[in-house]
Amino acid sequence: MVEQNQLIENSGLTALISTLSTTVNSDKLANIVGVFADLALLTSFLGVSLGLFEFLNDMLSSKSRSSTANQSEINRIKASIVTFTPPLGFALFYPEGFITALGYAAIALVILAIFLPVIMVHKVRRNNCQDNMYQVIGGNVTLLIAMVTGVMIISAQLLVTVGALPALG
């Protein structure tokens, strides 16, 4: 069994893997966790970068009036540069910054996945008060719980940023 104090002292991923390897008595655990972490990073990078690339390509294509094959190729090159150059520079010059970037991405995700849907549901309920087709179990209490959860996630990230909470990773 791994004690909580031991996990807090070894906050890095490498230290966590070595602690778990000695606890489980398996040398292959480091390889398994390493492959899993690499695949998780690769799939998240591919999904986000391909989505951003297509968005930028569509945006550049809609701004250019001519739809020639040459212009389309130039738009794809521009979209590739804008999509892949910042992450490459970030990875080369600040390799340990991925966890930090994920923390800030969590704030944006809370806004998109929690705050905006709660606000939209609240607005639809307020505008259609006679029509109860947008009701779920919990009502406004559930919306309030969702908002409080979002505020707690953002607060935790901000406390990590100012050093009041320990950073993981």
Side-chain angles (χ1 to χ4, degrees), residues 27-90:
D27 295 333
K28 295 180 183 179
L29 182 65
N31 292 337
I32 292 169
V33 171
V35 167
F36 176 79
D38 291 342
L39 288 175
L41 288 173
L42 179 66
T43 56
S44 67
F45 175 74
L46 284 175
V48 170
S49 62
L50 288 175
L52 179 62
F53 172 76
E54 289 299 327
F55 170 74
L56 291 172
N57 190 32
D58 289 346
M59 189 176 67
L60 289 171
S61 296
S62 69
K63 284 189 177 183
S64 64
R65 301 287 183 229
S66 62
S67 60
T68 64
N70 190 26
Q71 185 64 35
S72 175
E73 193 65 32
I74 291 171
N75 288 341
R76 292 183 72 76
I77 291 171
K78 286 180 188 177
S80 297
I81 290 170
V82 172
T83 300
F84 298 111
T85 303
L88 178 64
F90 194 70

Side-chain angles (χ1 to χ4, degrees), residues 108-169:
L109 184 62
V110 165
I111 292 169
L112 287 173
I114 295 177
F115 291 160
L116 288 179
V118 166
I119 291 167
M120 287 188 287
V121 167
H122 180 69
K123 190 167 188 164
V124 166
R125 285 181 181 174
R126 192 179 57 199
N127 290 341
N128 300 326
C129 59
Q130 305 95 338
D131 203 7
N132 289 333
M133 61 187 289
Y134 292 108
Q135 294 295 319
V136 295
I137 296 173
N140 289 332
V141 174
T142 304
L143 295 179
L144 182 63
I145 291 171
M147 290 293 276
V148 168
T149 303
V151 169
M152 287 175 30
I153 293 169
I154 290 176
S155 300
Q157 177 55 39
L158 294 176
L159 289 172
V160 166
T161 301
V162 299
L165 286 178
L168 302 175

